[in-house]
Amino acid sequence: MKKLVLGIAVLASLSASAQVNWKLDNSHSKLGFSVTHMMVSETEGKFKIYQGTVASTTETDFTDAKIEFTADVNSINTEDEKRDGHLKSPDFFDAAKFPTITFKSTSMKPVAKGKTIYNLEGELTMHGVTKKVKLNAIGATKTVKDPYGNIKYGFKVTGVINRKDFGLSWNAALEAGGVAVSEDVKLDLNIELNKDK
């Protein structure tokens, strides 16, 4: 019995040591989004305050990587102070009541063997509602070392969510038909990671 317990402990230790841990490089990343405005153009925005961690199998294999992100709703920025205030209000995010948006991965699978393009799935919590989402993640072909000795890796993550699924249902009808703000929100994330030393 003691040998079995010891063996499990050794395997757990080896598994932990094989894991590669990463932290988000905020100064070189972007959590962006866009919506269709007035049925004719796109309005873009981003969250300026966020943090995230990733645990991968190797430096370039992110199959089933463990990913966690948190964004501060009050940091939303669409380059219009009045609009940002409206987005933080109960009409949309209700930042006073729901100050954070979180994402936790549940699956990350390459689209083909040896590729750095992944189907990423996870649980997105926003406005107090948690829903499963599916995203596309395109990884770099290799890691690089910056002048300060940091090992870096990056992803371009895209996807579409329906804001009404999360209770963000405010809108205004247009006289000519249609609505002021689309239900679909396009996600556009540039993620740069630093390997933990």
mmCIF file of all heavy atoms in Angstrom, residues 68-87:
data_model
loop_
_atom_site.group_PDB
_atom_site.id
_atom_site.type_symbol
_atom_site.label_atom_id
_atom_site.label_comp_id
_atom_site.label_asym_id
_atom_site.label_seq_id
_atom_site.Cartn_x
_atom_site.Cartn_y
_atom_site.Cartn_z
ATOM 1 N N GLU A 68 -7.386 30.696 -17.380
ATOM 2 C CA GLU A 68 -8.295 31.494 -16.549
ATOM 3 C C GLU A 68 -8.011 32.968 -16.790
ATOM 4 O O GLU A 68 -6.861 33.403 -16.728
ATOM 5 C CB GLU A 68 -8.136 31.149 -15.068
ATOM 6 C CG GLU A 68 -8.589 29.734 -14.721
ATOM 7 C CD GLU A 68 -8.649 29.483 -13.218
ATOM 8 O OE1 GLU A 68 -8.577 30.463 -12.456
ATOM 9 O OE2 GLU A 68 -8.747 28.309 -12.828
ATOM 10 N N PHE A 69 -9.094 33.720 -17.079
ATOM 11 C CA PHE A 69 -8.980 35.157 -17.303
ATOM 12 C C PHE A 69 -10.028 35.893 -16.485
ATOM 13 O O PHE A 69 -11.142 35.396 -16.280
ATOM 14 C CB PHE A 69 -9.192 35.485 -18.784
ATOM 15 C CG PHE A 69 -7.966 35.325 -19.627
ATOM 16 C CD1 PHE A 69 -7.618 34.080 -20.135
ATOM 17 C CD2 PHE A 69 -7.152 36.402 -19.918
ATOM 18 C CE1 PHE A 69 -6.495 33.909 -20.910
ATOM 19 C CE2 PHE A 69 -6.013 36.246 -20.693
ATOM 20 C CZ PHE A 69 -5.690 35.006 -21.196
ATOM 21 N N THR A 70 -9.668 37.085 -16.041
ATOM 22 C CA THR A 70 -10.612 37.964 -15.345
ATOM 23 C C THR A 70 -10.433 39.375 -15.885
ATOM 24 O O THR A 70 -9.311 39.863 -15.999
ATOM 25 C CB THR A 70 -10.361 37.982 -13.824
ATOM 26 O OG1 THR A 70 -10.505 36.659 -13.316
ATOM 27 C CG2 THR A 70 -11.370 38.880 -13.122
ATOM 28 N N ALA A 71 -11.550 40.024 -16.226
ATOM 29 C CA ALA A 71 -11.518 41.404 -16.716
ATOM 30 C C ALA A 71 -12.346 42.287 -15.791
ATOM 31 O O ALA A 71 -13.397 41.876 -15.292
ATOM 32 C CB ALA A 71 -12.066 41.484 -18.136
ATOM 33 N N ASP A 72 -11.860 43.499 -15.573
ATOM 34 C CA ASP A 72 -12.540 44.490 -14.741
ATOM 35 C C ASP A 72 -13.527 45.259 -15.614
ATOM 36 O O ASP A 72 -13.133 45.990 -16.525
ATOM 37 C CB ASP A 72 -11.506 45.440 -14.140
ATOM 38 C CG ASP A 72 -12.118 46.492 -13.225
ATOM 39 O OD1 ASP A 72 -13.356 46.613 -13.185
ATOM 40 O OD2 ASP A 72 -11.345 47.199 -12.553
ATOM 41 N N VAL A 73 -14.823 45.078 -15.350
ATOM 42 C CA VAL A 73 -15.862 45.721 -16.169
ATOM 43 C C VAL A 73 -15.720 47.238 -16.155
ATOM 44 O O VAL A 73 -15.944 47.909 -17.169
ATOM 45 C CB VAL A 73 -17.266 45.305 -15.691
ATOM 46 C CG1 VAL A 73 -18.348 46.085 -16.431
ATOM 47 C CG2 VAL A 73 -17.467 43.801 -15.888
ATOM 48 N N ASN A 74 -15.329 47.801 -15.024
ATOM 49 C CA ASN A 74 -15.193 49.253 -14.922
ATOM 50 C C ASN A 74 -14.067 49.813 -15.774
ATOM 51 O O ASN A 74 -13.962 51.032 -15.931
ATOM 52 C CB ASN A 74 -14.997 49.666 -13.460
ATOM 53 C CG ASN A 74 -16.307 49.654 -12.694
ATOM 54 O OD1 ASN A 74 -17.201 50.441 -12.965
ATOM 55 N ND2 ASN A 74 -16.429 48.732 -11.746
ATOM 56 N N SER A 75 -13.238 48.939 -16.347
ATOM 57 C CA SER A 75 -12.145 49.403 -17.198
ATOM 58 C C SER A 75 -12.536 49.430 -18.671
ATOM 59 O O SER A 75 -11.686 49.670 -19.534
ATOM 60 C CB SER A 75 -10.913 48.518 -17.006
ATOM 61 O OG SER A 75 -11.102 47.241 -17.610
ATOM 62 N N ILE A 76 -13.802 49.208 -18.989
ATOM 63 C CA ILE A 76 -14.248 49.199 -20.379
ATOM 64 C C ILE A 76 -13.957 50.546 -21.035
ATOM 65 O O ILE A 76 -14.108 51.600 -20.426
ATOM 66 C CB ILE A 76 -15.746 48.841 -20.472
ATOM 67 C CG1 ILE A 76 -16.122 48.441 -21.891
ATOM 68 C CG2 ILE A 76 -16.637 49.972 -19.952
ATOM 69 C CD1 ILE A 76 -17.483 47.785 -22.010
ATOM 70 N N ASN A 77 -13.502 50.500 -22.274
ATOM 71 C CA ASN A 77 -13.107 51.720 -22.972
ATOM 72 C C ASN A 77 -13.500 51.625 -24.446
ATOM 73 O O ASN A 77 -12.964 50.785 -25.172
ATOM 74 C CB ASN A 77 -11.600 51.931 -22.835
ATOM 75 C CG ASN A 77 -11.130 53.236 -23.445
ATOM 76 O OD1 ASN A 77 -11.819 53.843 -24.259
ATOM 77 N ND2 ASN A 77 -9.966 53.684 -23.052
ATOM 78 N N THR A 78 -14.425 52.488 -24.865
ATOM 79 C CA THR A 78 -14.827 52.553 -26.270
ATOM 80 C C THR A 78 -14.468 53.913 -26.875
ATOM 81 O O THR A 78 -15.015 54.303 -27.902
ATOM 82 C CB THR A 78 -16.339 52.306 -26.423
ATOM 83 O OG1 THR A 78 -17.055 53.358 -25.754
ATOM 84 C CG2 THR A 78 -16.743 50.950 -25.851
ATOM 85 N N GLU A 79 -13.575 54.624 -26.199
ATOM 86 C CA GLU A 79 -13.137 55.955 -26.634
ATOM 87 C C GLU A 79 -14.272 56.980 -26.601
ATOM 88 O O GLU A 79 -14.247 57.962 -27.339
ATOM 89 C CB GLU A 79 -12.524 55.896 -28.052
ATOM 90 C CG GLU A 79 -11.384 54.923 -28.214
ATOM 91 C CD GLU A 79 -10.179 55.263 -27.345
ATOM 92 O OE1 GLU A 79 -10.051 56.417 -26.921
ATOM 93 O OE2 GLU A 79 -9.367 54.349 -27.082
ATOM 94 N N ASP A 80 -15.261 56.742 -25.757
ATOM 95 C CA ASP A 80 -16.364 57.691 -25.586
ATOM 96 C C ASP A 80 -16.844 57.579 -24.137
ATOM 97 O O ASP A 80 -17.465 56.587 -23.756
ATOM 98 C CB ASP A 80 -17.509 57.378 -26.556
ATOM 99 C CG ASP A 80 -18.634 58.392 -26.516
ATOM 100 O OD1 ASP A 80 -19.216 58.595 -25.419
ATOM 101 O OD2 ASP A 80 -18.944 58.979 -27.567
ATOM 102 N N GLU A 81 -16.555 58.586 -23.331
ATOM 103 C CA GLU A 81 -16.835 58.520 -21.898
ATOM 104 C C GLU A 81 -18.316 58.327 -21.598
ATOM 105 O O GLU A 81 -18.695 57.554 -20.705
ATOM 106 C CB GLU A 81 -16.327 59.810 -21.225
ATOM 107 C CG GLU A 81 -16.353 59.761 -19.704
ATOM 108 C CD GLU A 81 -15.696 60.975 -19.078
ATOM 109 O OE1 GLU A 81 -14.850 61.607 -19.736
ATOM 110 O OE2 GLU A 81 -16.055 61.286 -17.923
ATOM 111 N N LYS A 82 -19.170 59.012 -22.348
ATOM 112 C CA LYS A 82 -20.615 58.888 -22.127
ATOM 113 C C LYS A 82 -21.093 57.480 -22.442
ATOM 114 O O LYS A 82 -21.877 56.888 -21.698
ATOM 115 C CB LYS A 82 -21.366 59.909 -22.977
ATOM 116 C CG LYS A 82 -22.858 59.937 -22.732
ATOM 117 C CD LYS A 82 -23.536 61.027 -23.551
ATOM 118 C CE LYS A 82 -25.044 61.044 -23.300
ATOM 119 N NZ LYS A 82 -25.704 62.109 -24.114
ATOM 120 N N ARG A 83 -20.621 56.929 -23.548
ATOM 121 C CA ARG A 83 -21.009 55.566 -23.923
ATOM 122 C C ARG A 83 -20.481 54.555 -22.910
ATOM 123 O O ARG A 83 -21.186 53.608 -22.538
ATOM 124 C CB ARG A 83 -20.488 55.241 -25.319
ATOM 125 C CG ARG A 83 -20.820 53.818 -25.792
ATOM 126 C CD ARG A 83 -20.530 53.638 -27.255
ATOM 127 N NE ARG A 83 -19.143 53.941 -27.581
ATOM 128 C CZ ARG A 83 -18.769 54.545 -28.709
ATOM 129 N NH1 ARG A 83 -19.669 54.931 -29.597
ATOM 130 N NH2 ARG A 83 -17.483 54.768 -28.941
ATOM 131 N N ASP A 84 -19.232 54.759 -22.456
ATOM 132 C CA ASP A 84 -18.673 53.852 -21.450
ATOM 133 C C ASP A 84 -19.512 53.868 -20.176
ATOM 134 O O ASP A 84 -19.742 52.827 -19.555
ATOM 135 C CB ASP A 84 -17.231 54.246 -21.130
ATOM 136 C CG ASP A 84 -16.293 54.020 -22.305
ATOM 137 O OD1 ASP A 84 -16.678 53.305 -23.248
ATOM 138 O OD2 ASP A 84 -15.170 54.565 -22.280
ATOM 139 N N GLY A 85 -19.969 55.055 -19.787
ATOM 140 C CA GLY A 85 -20.830 55.162 -18.613
ATOM 141 C C GLY A 85 -22.127 54.406 -18.794
ATOM 142 O O GLY A 85 -22.621 53.751 -17.854
ATOM 143 N N HIS A 86 -22.690 54.468 -20.001
ATOM 144 C CA HIS A 86 -23.928 53.729 -20.286
ATOM 145 C C HIS A 86 -23.685 52.222 -20.234
ATOM 146 O O HIS A 86 -24.502 51.460 -19.695
ATOM 147 C CB HIS A 86 -24.469 54.132 -21.665
ATOM 148 C CG HIS A 86 -25.840 53.609 -21.942
ATOM 149 N ND1 HIS A 86 -26.355 53.491 -23.214
ATOM 150 C CD2 HIS A 86 -26.820 53.158 -21.111
ATOM 151 C CE1 HIS A 86 -27.582 52.988 -23.147
ATOM 152 N NE2 HIS A 86 -27.888 52.777 -21.882
ATOM 153 N N LEU A 87 -22.532 51.787 -20.761
ATOM 154 C CA LEU A 87 -22.218 50.359 -20.744
ATOM 155 C C LEU A 87 -22.036 49.823 -19.326
ATOM 156 O O LEU A 87 -22.344 48.665 -19.047
ATOM 157 C CB LEU A 87 -20.954 50.091 -21.563
ATOM 158 C CG LEU A 87 -21.097 50.234 -23.073
ATOM 159 C CD1 LEU A 87 -19.739 50.172 -23.753
ATOM 160 C CD2 LEU A 87 -22.017 49.159 -23.633
#
